[in-house]
């Protein structure tokens, strides 16, 4: 397996990790602001 | 009325209800047998493969369908029946032990019949004849204790009946691996004592957890 | 026993800490020299191992918080258990995904029945069961008690699951994926791995802060709804418009 | 109609207590966001039969299940037979509470006799009491019929037979007259009088004020989550 192919897999792994983490963190942020709006005291 | 007579009362009620409704013996049991029948149709019917896969498949089906047996009456209980049972003042732990015992009896029957079906369909060479009854008993005990506990944890929650198998499956893995490996290691000449002990510990842990959480769960 | 009203201001430092931790891991793992045997693929280890470690840590925190709730009956423990469970599911899922992405080029198969990876997948399903159980009711105390009892039940059974999986796999496949038995890891790689593990742990703590804040807000909404002298249920029933006196 | 000493049916030990058997102090019960009961105060003394009426959804059934210790108050406090509704002690008085809801709580696969025998065993009552209780409610001939093969009215009579057998100190009836035919309806009054005569308390939730007034000493109306 050439080094280039290996890099593909590494980037796939990091891309996957990045997407999962960002989606999760953003979802926490979105849910927080939405609940705060409902509670009436916007952050 | 002592703890064990209360538990026996619940067990006999459950077993009489089962004998009348026949849900386990005429519905769940045939369903398990069908599963054993379908698999060779899916993975091919060459004897050596089936012979190798048979035991493991049997235990997997016992785990997956066994849990349906131990939740059948808890999730099907109406509010009125639950109220009247509560007003009898029977101790929650006795109800738990009673229900688990009833499920245990039905599970042993379930395993024995499916075991015969497996031997016939998969021509499984059962090396440790003396070991099989022990495994059947421990698995039946562990699964009924776990299933009854999971059912009382979920009790009246939303989609309770569907959720219990999801809770039980991952936690029944020590029983599943223990049972399959205990038999397999006999073929390799090893001792299955360690596996059996591990299964017994798992079952005892479940029994203690079930009894201890019976009262707090009653509050829900 | 419910919590006083949540802090009104929303702390922002956790977001920054998460971003920095992520960056540190990325930079460290990209700059270290590749493994002699595995080449560039070894870099995947620097995200896979920390996520698997976080899956374990989050699981332990969830179970400990569950036990604390049963003891103290204070909802803040329930919120910590729930927050850690949700974060735990994400890291467990990530560990599994990364394990597969690493296994395919290295062993040619997506799923190696490696003991630790198998255990991580089992924990993933226990987490899903835990989160599904939390959705079975809106009553705060009932939800907390059910989740706590499942939490304690899981922590009691997981060592046995761990045992059985370990024995089962060592019977069939001695080397494990997470701790490659190969030649001792180069110190530079070991250092990078440690940095990554610490960065992930810091990221987990920051996430916990925000997720607990979210849990507190969600509970506050439920409590506000319930405490308010909302309409009495019976009030919704009025005399039917057809029938006597309306013909 | 004083407490009869039918074969096997024990008479209730007189409940000697001046403080109310059922005592609710500003009790609220919530379901999610809405209040079913709110700041409800109610006392039922020994020997008293209380009629309760109110519009649909006013919380009458919730009140009964609360008094039966089957649900806990979301706020406020109360005691039934001296046991606090918020503490574990409420489990110890449950076997002295009789509750007949508007939905029968029998096991469909078991016969009427088996259903009552289960309750008898739980209360450590001799099985002879089962047969005489079923005779008293006119189900003697049907006692070996499975519950799900009996009509709704028969199942309610079986539930009244159960109450006759266990002789509860607190009797809670939800729409007792509904689904009962003409000659069974007097059964309800007989059972209530039996309980109150022996020092117990009874609460009857019903829309049929005329029937209830023949046996109830007092009436309350539930509206807006409390006693009107």
């Amino acid at each position: 397996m050439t080094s280039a192919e290996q890099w593909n897999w590494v980037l796939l792994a990091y891309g996957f990790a990045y997407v999962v983490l960002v989606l999760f963190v953003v979802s926490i942020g979105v849910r927080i602001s939405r609940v705060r709006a409902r509670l009436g005291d916007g952050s | 009325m002592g703890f064990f007579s209360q538990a026996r009362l619940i067990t006999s009620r459950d077993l009489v209800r089962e004998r009348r409704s026949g849900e386990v013996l005429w519905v769940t049991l045939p369903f398990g047998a069908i599963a054993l029948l379908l698999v060779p149709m899916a993975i091919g019917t060459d004897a050596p493969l089936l012979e190798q896969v048979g035991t493991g498949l049997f235990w997997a089906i016992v785990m997956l369908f066994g849990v349906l047996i131990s939740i059948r009456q808890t999730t099907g209980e109406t509010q009125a029946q639950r109220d009247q049972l509560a007003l009898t003042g029977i101790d929650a732990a006795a109800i738990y032990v009673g229900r688990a015992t009833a499920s245990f009896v039905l599970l042993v029957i379930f395993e024995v019949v499916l075991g015969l079906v497996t031997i016939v369909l998969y021509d499984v060479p059962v090396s440790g004849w003396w070991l099989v009854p022990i495994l059947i008993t421990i698995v039946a005990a562990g699964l009924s204790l776990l299933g009854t506990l999971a059912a009382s944890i979920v009790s009246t929650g939303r989609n309770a009946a569907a959720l219990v198998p999801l809770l039980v499956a991952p936690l029944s893995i020590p029983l599943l691996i223990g049972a399959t490996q205990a038999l397999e290691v006999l073929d390799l000449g090893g001792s299955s004592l360690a596996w059996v002990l591990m299964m017994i510990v798992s079952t005892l842990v479940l029994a203690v957890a079930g009894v201890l959480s019976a009262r707090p769960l009653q509050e829900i | 026993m419910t919590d006083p009203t949540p802090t009104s201001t929303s702390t922002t430092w956790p977001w920054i800490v998460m971003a920095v931790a992520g960056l540190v891991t990325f930079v460290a793992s990209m700059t270290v020299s590749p493994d002699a045997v595995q080449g560039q693929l070894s870099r995947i280890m620097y995200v896979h191992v920390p996520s698997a470690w976080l899956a374990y840590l989050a699981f332990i925190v969830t179970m400990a918080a569950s036990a604390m709730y049963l003891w103290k009956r204070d909802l803040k423990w329930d919120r910590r258990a729930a927050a850690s469970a949700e974060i735990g599911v994400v890291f467990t899922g990530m560990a599994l995904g990364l394990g597969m992405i690493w296994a395919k080029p290295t062993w040619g198969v997506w799923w190696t029945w490696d003991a630790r990876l198998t255990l991580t997948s089992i924990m993933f399903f226990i987490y899903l069961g835990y989160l599904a159980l939390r959705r079975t009711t809106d009553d705060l105390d009932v939800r907390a008690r059910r989740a706590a009892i499942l939490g304690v039940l899981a922590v009691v059974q997981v060592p046995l699951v761990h045992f059985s999986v370990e024995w089962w796999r060592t019977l069939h496949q001695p080397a494990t994926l997470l701790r490659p038995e190969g030649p001792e890891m180069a110190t530079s790689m070991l250092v990078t791995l440690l940095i990554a593990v610490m960065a992930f742990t810091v990221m987990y703590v920051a996430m916990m802060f925000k997720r607990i804040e979210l849990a507190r807000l969600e509970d506050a909404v439920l409590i506000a709804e319930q405490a308010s002298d909302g309409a009495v249920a019976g009030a919704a029933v009025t005399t039917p418009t057809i029938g006597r006196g309306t013909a | 109609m004083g407490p009869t000493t039918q074969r096997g049916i024990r008479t209730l030990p007189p409940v000697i207590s001046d403080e109310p058997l059922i005592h609710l102090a500003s009790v609220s019960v919530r379901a999610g966001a809405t209040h079913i009961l709110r700041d409800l105060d109610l006392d039922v003394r020994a020997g008293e039969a209380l009629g309760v009426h109110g519009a649909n959804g006013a919380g009458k059934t919730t009140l009964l299940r609360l008094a039966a210790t089957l649900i806990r108050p979301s706020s406020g406090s109360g005691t039934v037979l001296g046991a606090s509704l918020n503490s574990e002690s409420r489990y110890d008085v449950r076997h002295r509470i009789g509750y007949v809801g508007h939905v029968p709580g029998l096991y469909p696969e078991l016969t009427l006799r088996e259903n009552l025998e289960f309750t008898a065993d739980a209360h450590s009552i001799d099985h002879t009491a089962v047969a005489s209780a079923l005779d008293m409610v006119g189900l003697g001939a049907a006692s070996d019929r499975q519950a799900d093969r009996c009509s709704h009215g028969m199942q309610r009579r079986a539930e009244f037979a159960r109450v006759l057998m266990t002789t509860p100190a607190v009797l809670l009836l939800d729409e007792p007259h509904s689904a009962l035919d003409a000659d069974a309806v007097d059964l309800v009054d007989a059972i209530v009088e039996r309980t109150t005569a022996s020092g117990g308390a009874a609460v009857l939730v019903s829309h049929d004020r005329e029937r209830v007034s023949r046996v109830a000493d007092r009436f309350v109306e539930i509206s807006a989550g409390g006693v009107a």
Side-chain angles (χ1 to χ4, degrees):
Chain A
M1 179 174 280
T2 68
S3 165
E5 275 169 347
Q6 286 186 345
W7 271 109
N8 286 342
W9 284 103
V10 170
L11 292 182
L12 174 66
Y14 277 79
F16 168 71
Y18 179 77
V19 165
V20 168
L21 286 177
V22 167
L23 279 181
F24 177 56
V25 170
V26 165
S27 91
I28 295 182
V30 165
R31 283 184 286 173
I32 285 182
S33 50
R34 202 178 300 151
V35 173
R36 278 195 179 286
R38 249 171 79 186
L39 269 173
D41 49 356
S43 70
Chain B
M1 199 174 177
F3 178 90
F4 286 106
S5 43
Q6 281 181 338
R8 203 173 43 248
L9 178 63
I10 298 287
T11 306
S12 55
R13 174 204 66 172
D14 278 5
L15 290 179
V16 169
R17 287 187 67 190
E18 170 49 36
R19 188 155 39 85
R20 294 276 169 70
S21 70
E23 183 186 305
V24 168
L25 300 183
W26 300 109
V27 176
T28 313
L29 187 56
F31 190 45
I34 289 175
L36 285 169
L37 199 67
L38 289 183
V39 168
M41 297 177 196
I43 61 173
T45 55
D46 64 341
L49 170 69
L50 292 184
E51 196 184 320
Q52 202 190 351
V53 155
T55 324
L57 199 59
F58 164 71
W59 289 116
I61 286 174
V62 163
M63 293 298 156
L64 293 174
F65 293 96
V67 77
L68 299 180
I69 290 176
S70 50
I71 59 172
R72 74 207 175 292
Q73 278 178 352
T74 330
T75 46
E77 225 177 6
T78 65
Q79 179 71 55
Q81 286 165 346
R82 241 193 314 277
D83 288 350
Q84 292 305 329
L85 180 61
L87 290 182
T88 57
I90 295 179
D91 176 13
I95 294 176
Y96 170 74
V97 168
R99 281 213 173 113
T101 314
S103 297
F104 168 77
V105 169
L106 295 172
L107 264 166
V108 168
I109 299 168
F110 181 80
E111 286 180 83
V112 167
V113 174
L114 281 199
L116 299 177
V117 172
T118 310
I119 291 172
V120 166
L121 290 185
Y122 293 77
D123 186 23
V124 170
V126 185
S127 44
W129 271 108
W130 50 276
L131 183 59
V132 171
I134 298 171
L135 294 180
I136 283 183
T137 314
I138 300 172
V139 165
L143 211 49
S144 52
L145 287 165
L146 180 57
T148 308
L149 174 55
S152 58
I153 288 177
V154 182
S155 69
T156 56
R158 277 191 286 269
N159 45 53
L163 178 55
V164 173
L166 174 64
L167 299 185
V168 165
L171 298 178
S172 63
I173 281 172
L175 294 170
L176 176 70
I177 292 183
T180 42
Q181 291 309 311
L183 283 174
E184 203 178 301
V185 86
L186 278 183
D187 299 343
L188 314 175
S191 136
S192 45
L193 182 62
W195 293 107
V196 171
L197 283 180
M198 188 267 293
M199 289 168 72
I200 290 175
V201 166
S202 175
T203 303
L204 288 179
V205 160
L206 285 172
V208 169
V211 170
L212 288 183
S213 54
R215 258 235 161 151
L217 283 173
Q218 185 184 27
E219 301 271 323
I220 298 161
Chain C
M1 65 196 163
T2 51
D3 218 53
T5 52
T7 50
S8 58
T9 58
S10 176
T11 52
T12 54
W13 63 264
W15 307 120
I16 302 153
V17 165
M18 291 180 214
V20 167
L23 209 61
V24 162
T25 316
F26 182 71
V27 167
S29 48
M30 282 306 153
T31 52
V32 77
S33 57
D35 176 62
V37 172
Q38 288 204 348
Q40 304 302 347
L41 289 177
S42 61
R43 297 185 194 286
I44 300 178
M45 176 173 61
Y46 303 122
V47 268
H48 173 67
V49 171
S51 347
W53 149 247
L54 254 306
Y56 275 69
L57 175 66
F59 194 80
I60 293 163
V61 167
T62 297
M63 301 315 153
S66 294
M68 280 305 287
Y69 170 76
L70 283 179
W71 180 25
K72 289 274 200 272
R73 287 297 160 85
D74 185 339
L75 277 175
K76 71 176 188 304
W77 287 110
D78 174 57
R79 280 192 284 273
R80 289 174 186 155
S84 183
E86 195 175 276
I87 297 172
V89 167
V90 170
F91 277 109
T92 313
M94 219 168 70
L96 294 176
L98 292 170
M100 286 186 242
I101 295 173
W102 191 3
K104 186 63 180 169
T106 318
W107 281 284
V109 283
W110 289 109
W111 184 256
T112 65
W113 284 92
D114 157 69
R116 241 165 303 292
L117 207 54
T118 311
L119 189 63
T120 311
S121 61
I122 295 167
M123 272 205 300
F124 185 69
F125 290 110
I126 294 178
Y127 267 131
L128 289 186
Y130 179 90
L131 292 175
L133 181 65
R134 289 191 71 85
R135 281 192 299 275
T136 56
T137 171
D138 294 334
D139 181 313
L140 290 182
D141 300 310
V142 168
R143 180 181 67 180
R145 182 181 313 220
R146 285 185 183 163
I149 288 179
L150 176 65
V152 168
L153 174 61
V155 82
V156 159
Q157 276 294 82
V158 159
L160 288 156
V161 173
H162 188 109
F163 238 138
S164 42
V165 169
E166 284 284 336
W167 280 355
W168 168 51
R169 287 321 299 155
T170 42
L171 219 60
H172 298 282
Q173 186 210 15
T176 57
L177 181 73
L178 290 183
R179 235 184 321 73
E181 253 48 4
E184 208 38 61
M185 262 197 293
T187 42
S188 67
M189 290 177 60
L190 200 56
V191 165
T192 314
L193 186 57
L194 283 179
I195 292 170
V197 167
M198 274 187 292
F200 265 53
T201 309
V202 165
M203 192 191 297
Y204 164 76
V205 171
M207 281 180 182
M208 278 291 274
F209 263 89
K210 292 313 281 183
R211 187 58 187 78
I212 290 173
E213 181 186 334
L214 173 60
R216 208 181 311 118
L217 288 168
E218 280 168 346
D219 284 1
V221 166
L222 276 176
I223 293 166
E225 251 175 33
Q226 291 172 3
S228 76
D229 46 11
V232 171
V237 178
T238 55
T239 40
T241 52
I242 62 168
R244 57 178 167 73
T246 56
Chain D
M1 196 182 87
T4 57
T5 51
Q6 205 77 11
R7 179 174 41 80
I9 293 196
R10 56 196 167 100
T11 56
L12 187 84
V15 177
I16 319 135
S17 72
D18 46 11
E19 35 101 25
L21 295 189
I22 301 173
H23 169 62
L24 302 177
S26 68
V27 162
S28 296
V29 174
R30 273 196 316 261
T34 55
H35 277 76
I36 301 170
L37 295 177
R38 194 169 61 204
D39 301 334
L40 179 130
D41 297 291
L42 185 69
D43 282 354
V44 187
R45 322 201 70 79
E48 188 182 19
L50 176 75
V52 173
H53 61 268
N56 294 114
K60 302 190 296 296
T61 301
T62 306
L63 172 64
L64 282 187
R65 296 193 68 230
L66 183 73
T69 74
L70 295 171
I71 38 178
R72 280 169 62 164
S74 308
S75 62
S77 68
T79 64
V80 172
L81 293 168
S84 150
L85 288 185
N86 290 315
S87 79
E88 299 250 330
S89 61
R90 72 181 191 278
Y91 299 126
D92 311 330
V93 297
R94 281 188 165 175
H95 64 283
R96 299 182 58 213
I97 296 172
Y99 169 57
V100 180
H102 48 269
V103 174
L106 303 172
Y107 294 112
E109 303 90 352
L110 303 184
T111 66
L112 298 183
R113 180 202 309 276
E114 284 164 344
N115 268 289
L116 262 69
E117 278 172 355
F118 173 73
T119 307
D121 290 338
H123 286 83
S124 328
I125 296 171
D126 183 76
H127 280 197
T128 52
V130 170
S132 50
L134 286 172
D135 288 340
M136 285 165 75
V137 295
L139 285 176
S143 50
D144 287 328
R145 195 183 300 178
Q146 281 188 339
D148 57 6
R149 292 203 179 82
C150 298
S151 73
H152 183 64
M154 289 169 68
Q155 291 188 40
R156 282 185 77 81
R157 284 199 194 195
E159 295 225 293
F160 285 122
R162 178 183 1 221
V163 163
L164 274 171
M165 186 175 67
T166 51
T167 57
V170 164
L171 180 63
L172 307 164
L173 304 178
D174 199 344
E175 305 291 351
H177 304 289
S178 71
L180 286 185
D181 52 36
D183 56 6
V185 159
D186 302 335
L187 182 60
V188 175
D189 307 346
I191 290 174
V192 169
E193 273 148 21
R194 247 159 93 64
T195 307
T196 51
S198 56
V203 178
L204 291 88
V205 161
S206 173
H207 295 295
D208 189 340
R209 290 193 62 150
E210 190 275 333
R211 285 244 36 117
V212 174
S213 59
R214 290 180 33 192
V215 74
D217 312 310
R218 188 164 59 101
F219 265 92
V220 288
E221 189 190 357
I222 301 288
S223 76
V227 172

